[in-house]
Amino acid sequence: MITVYNTDNLYSYLELIRDRPSMILGEESITALMHHIYGYQAAPGSKEVNDELNPNFNGFHDFAAAYYGRSSSSRGCKNIILSAHFGQEKEAFVAFFELLDLFKNGYQLSVSKEVLFKLIETLMLDKNEALQLNEEDNNALYVTLKMLPVSLKDPDSMADYDWILNRLKELGADNVAFTNLIAGLEEKAAVRRL
């Protein structure tokens, strides 16, 4: 017996996939999921589909880019999420739905998250001697920065970005180069949000 499911819009179709991913996709894979989404979006001409979504799904790509601290969504949400989860299809599949829930519920992304991700990138790539920190200079700041990538990957830290950034500012208040770096990253993030 063939069961027909009523999915009158993309979000209801995604809920069906979330409930039964193996049945519909064959596996829990963000790549397979996005193939289905693109196919579904191409179908409105062949069946009655309500594409008046609130919020509009097309904004999800920009939301994913901002969430993961990317400056552009040109790679598409699949590639952004997949790269953030180191190519792990199942992990990225789960993250897609967590992110979609935030998007649909109007979650406002914090500038602090973007600043923290840019801080990690800058500290990993910057060879500026003034920013080189070691345990003797400021043990608490050094340890906090060393643990920052792990802290940001933890899904439970989502609401703590502002606290983490403020804590880093407190710990690095004596380091002028670090304070200037944070101020510059905050200014750039704020300008991008305008």
Side-chain angles (χ1 to χ4, degrees), residues 11-29:
Y11 292 147
S12 63
Y13 182 63
L14 289 173
E15 287 307 314
L16 178 65
I17 292 173
R18 183 196 311 238
D19 293 341
R20 298 180 172 187
S22 296
M23 182 181 89
I24 298 168
L25 304 176
E27 62 184 327
E28 292 180 41
S29 158

Side-chain angles (χ1 to χ4, degrees), residues 170-184:
E170 288 172 17
L171 294 171
D174 295 337
N175 185 317
V176 175
F178 182 76
T179 303
N180 290 339
L181 172 62
I182 294 290

Side-chain angles (χ1 to χ4, degrees), residues 96-116:
F96 171 90
F97 283 103
E98 291 170 354
L99 198 58
L100 183 65
D101 289 340
L102 293 175
F103 175 71
K104 286 173 30 183
N105 291 323
Y107 180 76
Q108 295 298 310
L109 295 170
S110 169
V111 171
S112 297
K113 180 174 183 176
E114 182 177 342
V115 170
L116 291 170

Side-chain angles (χ1 to χ4, degrees), residues 70-193:
R70 304 298 195 277
S71 58
S72 165
S73 66
S74 61
R75 295 183 62 209
C77 66
K78 180 201 89 154
N79 291 325
I80 292 167
I81 297 169
L82 191 58
S83 69
H85 293 276
F86 306 103
Q88 299 298 312
E89 287 279 345
K90 186 174 182 175
E91 189 177 314
F93 175 84
V94 171
F96 171 90
F97 283 103
E98 291 170 354
L99 198 58
L100 183 65
D101 289 340
L102 293 175
F103 175 71
K104 286 173 30 183
N105 291 323
Y107 180 76
Q108 295 298 310
L109 295 170
S110 169
V111 171
S112 297
K113 180 174 183 176
E114 182 177 342
V115 170
L116 291 170
F117 275 91
K118 292 294 181 188
L119 176 63
I120 291 170
E121 181 180 316
T122 302
L123 292 176
M124 289 174 62
L125 301 175
D126 194 342
K127 302 301 180 205
N128 182 349
E129 291 301 316
L131 291 178
Q132 298 303 317
L133 300 168
N134 58 48
E135 289 185 83
E136 292 79 39
D137 291 338
N138 186 332
N139 189 41
L141 179 60
Y142 175 81
V143 170
T144 304
L145 286 170
K146 194 171 179 179
M147 294 303 298
L148 188 57
V150 174
S151 299
L152 295 180
K153 182 141 174 47
D154 179 9
D156 294 334
S157 72
M158 281 177 37
D160 295 337
Y161 297 126
D162 293 331
W163 183 88
I164 292 169
L165 183 58
N166 287 329
R167 181 70 179 138
L168 285 171
K169 286 179 184 178
E170 288 172 17
L171 294 171
D174 295 337
N175 185 317
V176 175
F178 182 76
T179 303
N180 290 339
L181 172 62
I182 294 290
L185 292 173
E186 286 180 314
E187 185 177 317
K188 287 178 186 176
V191 167
R192 272 197 292 276
R193 296 291 171 108

